[in-house]
Amino acid sequence: VLIVVMVDVDDGVCPHVCELRLEEHSFHQARMQAAPHLQQFEERFRAIFHRPSRHTDALAYIARLTLSDFPESHNLRIFRRHLAQSFGSVVGAWRRLGCGRQIPFERFREICHALNCGEFSPVHWCALDPGCAGCISLFEMDPEAVS
């Protein structure tokens, strides 16, 4: 469920898009049953990649995050493809649209309307800002291009 909450800030009111997730009991049980297997995977992962020069906690965290992360939505992939086709790349779009370091939801919504996909701007925003920080950067738009 997507919820828009209006938050008072110094220069007015800023909308924040929040996602409320309800987990069914069967999914909760499946997650609990998978937990020991994920723990075993993490232990083996740490053993394989243990080297004095590696930070195994960070590597294990990334592996666990990758396994538990939801796949990117089809709409978001199409949005990124549309940006790349219109501007040559997502990075090119970010620069040409004058986005700067970070953009808030209002600017993102304006960009979506300019690209004729404004009705999906809250959905795209939730996918790009799952931590509800209130702004996104180029890293969220195209992490592979930035890293």
Side-chain angles (χ1 to χ4, degrees), residues 21-36 38 70:
R21 289 192 174 182
L22 302 174
E23 185 177 62
E24 290 185 21
H25 185 66
S26 58
F27 290 120
H28 174 74
Q29 286 180 325
R31 190 167 41 87
M32 290 295 120
Q33 290 174 354
L38 289 173
F70 291 100

Side-chain angles (χ1 to χ4, degrees), residues 56-78:
T56 53
D57 289 337
L59 290 173
Y61 173 79
I62 291 171
R64 189 173 51 249
L65 185 66
T66 302
L67 287 174
S68 66
D69 202 12
F70 291 100
E72 184 177 80
S73 73
H74 179 69
N75 280 341
L76 187 57
R77 282 195 310 271
I78 289 175

Side-chain angles (χ1 to χ4, degrees), residues 35-112:
H37 302 289
L38 289 173
Q39 181 66 32
Q40 183 182 23
F41 165 79
E42 186 176 331
E43 290 168 3
R44 288 183 180 171
F45 183 87
R46 286 175 185 272
I48 292 170
F49 289 101
H50 179 69
R51 306 271 188 293
S53 61
R54 293 185 182 155
H55 194 293
T56 53
D57 289 337
L59 290 173
Y61 173 79
I62 291 171
R64 189 173 51 249
L65 185 66
T66 302
L67 287 174
S68 66
D69 202 12
F70 291 100
E72 184 177 80
S73 73
H74 179 69
N75 280 341
L76 187 57
R77 282 195 310 271
I78 289 175
F79 176 67
R80 286 186 175 136
R81 188 178 313 143
H82 184 59
L83 280 174
Q85 289 173 345
S86 300
F87 296 94
S89 69
V90 175
V91 175
W94 188 269
R95 290 180 181 153
R96 286 190 203 162
L97 294 169
C99 293
R101 193 162 177 231
Q102 294 181 330
I103 59 171
F105 177 69
E106 297 86 14
R107 177 74 175 120
F108 180 76
R109 187 178 55 211
E110 291 169 7
I111 292 168
C112 288

